[in-house]
Amino acid sequence: MKIANIGGRAHIVTATGGVDIEEASDGRFTSDNQQLISQLDELQSWYSSSELAEDPSLSTGSLEKSFDRLQSPVPNPSQVFAIGLNYKAHGEEVAMATPQEPMIFTKFQSSIAGPGATVTLPSDTVDWEVEMVVVIGHSGRNIGKMDAMKHVAGYCVGQDISERTLQLACKPPQFSVAKSYEAFAPMGPWLTTSDAVDISSIRLTCQVGGETLQDGNTRDMIFDVPTLISYLSNICELRTGDIIFTGTPDGVGMGRKPPRYIEDGWLLESTIEGLGTLSNPCRRR
Ligand code: ZN
């Protein structure tokens, strides 16, 4: 199942468009995408026994018509975790040592944005990082690796946009603020539930200004999703609706010779197999 946020209301994405969940369920389920994550199991069983997918009268019609109203499918998580250097080739291109333990930072919550949101470039050294985002379903502490996937609600495409000058202005580097400018954490285009995709080996690509500059695969993650959930939950309680940016493959701008960064007017297109494409225009401040 795919759940989109269209104009601030939760919709199921169907072959013919989007179905407004609160309306179609006569108020049984919330219209709030963040709250809905706690109702996903119930929603799925209700939806599979309903005939919504076959009833075009409930649909918004072509989803393309709603594309400009898509917002973040997880608009308000209580915690945002992000993993640095989680692909070996990316660590090598930026000349940083392969971590022996997950390297964790946060993207502050106010940096979250949706599909189509304009990324305002505060400088000429803003970089791209396509990443798979994990959305936590069931909360928990001290989750074992074997149980970890039961705590996942689903996945989105994300961008861990980074202002490299600020990131490297201090020693050691400061990741969190440099990655938290306005709209530096776009995600979407919708939430794909965990039963609908096998994320162990899927392709991630990033097109920048029309050129494919990242082309990786989740199988190359150093710390896989069960490991990350187990590791994090042994420190912090993972709560329903929290998100984890799982790291970027190689091909970022900082690792290029000479380095390349996002230019005014470029479109950032991030695609993950089975999860969709997230498009964000970029404009210089
Ligand atoms: Zn990253």
Side-chain angles (χ1 to χ4, degrees):
M1 193 165 58
K2 297 181 193 309
I3 300 174
N5 178 348
I6 303 178
R9 293 184 63 85
H11 284 67
I12 294 172
V13 177
T14 67
T16 52
V19 171
D20 186 298
I21 293 170
E22 188 191 33
E23 280 178 13
S25 70
D26 289 325
R28 177 170 166 188
F29 298 101
T30 176
S31 63
D32 182 295
N33 282 75
Q34 189 70 42
Q35 297 295 324
L36 187 65
I37 295 166
S38 66
Q39 298 183 306
L40 271 191
D41 294 341
E42 205 188 331
L43 177 68
Q44 278 192 291
S45 53
W46 171 78
Y47 183 63
S48 58
S49 62
S50 75
E51 281 157 15
L52 285 176
E54 284 79 48
D55 185 351
S57 69
L58 288 166
S59 172
T60 58
S62 153
L63 196 65
E64 282 77 31
K65 272 196 292 184
S66 310
F67 262 20
D68 58 350
R69 294 195 298 131
L70 284 175
Q71 298 177 14
S72 172
V74 188
N76 199 25
S78 72
Q79 300 178 100
V80 181
F81 301 97
I83 314 301
L85 307 174
N86 200 24
Y87 289 75
K88 193 162 178 283
H90 169 58
E92 288 168 359
E93 72 176 344
V94 294
M96 291 193 200
T98 302
Q100 301 304 304
E101 290 201 36
M103 201 275 261
I104 298 157
F105 59 95
T106 190
K107 289 174 81 70
F108 293 106
Q109 198 220 43
S110 57
S111 62
I112 289 175
T118 299
V119 178
T120 303
L121 306 171
S123 74
D124 295 324
T125 52
V126 177
D127 206 346
W128 54 85
E129 294 189 357
V130 61
E131 305 198 3
M132 183 176 73
V133 175
V134 174
V135 183
I136 297 297
H138 300 290
S139 62
R141 282 189 186 273
N142 305 316
I143 300 164
K145 274 192 211 183
M146 297 291 283
D147 288 328
M149 297 307 260
K150 295 180 201 152
H151 291 261
V152 176
Y155 307 91
C156 306
V157 182
Q159 261 292 337
D160 176 20
I161 301 174
S162 308
E163 205 298 291
R164 299 301 191 196
T165 303
L166 178 62
Q167 184 181 344
L168 301 172
C170 301
K171 277 189 180 151
Q174 49 177 357
F175 283 55
S176 296
V177 288
K179 291 165 174 274
S180 294
Y181 284 91
E182 185 177 0
F184 269 33
M187 49 190 287
W190 35 68
L191 167 69
T192 301
T193 54
S194 53
D195 59 299
V197 61
D198 173 6
I199 52 91
S200 57
S201 177
I202 51 175
R203 189 175 175 199
L204 322 79
T205 58
C206 179
Q207 278 203 352
V208 192
E211 203 181 333
T212 301
L213 293 179
Q214 286 189 285
D215 189 352
N217 193 297
T218 55
R219 66 170 172 254
D220 295 324
M221 288 169 67
I222 297 170
F223 302 106
D224 63 10
V225 171
T227 303
L228 293 173
I229 288 175
S230 178
Y231 186 90
L232 284 166
S233 72
N234 275 279
I235 305 163
C236 302
E237 181 187 12
L238 298 184
R239 298 171 179 160
T240 302
D242 283 354
I243 57 175
I244 307 169
F245 281 76
T246 55
T248 197
D250 61 319
V252 303
M254 184 171 70
R256 293 176 179 271
K257 293 183 181 55
R260 291 177 66 181
Y261 296 108
I262 303 173
E263 293 178 22
D264 187 22
W266 278 10
L267 185 66
L268 199 53
E269 289 180 287
S270 316
T271 301
I272 303 182
E273 199 181 342
L275 303 184
T277 296
L278 176 71
S279 300
N280 296 95
C282 303
R283 289 262 173 266
R284 185 72 162 89
R285 180 157 81 189

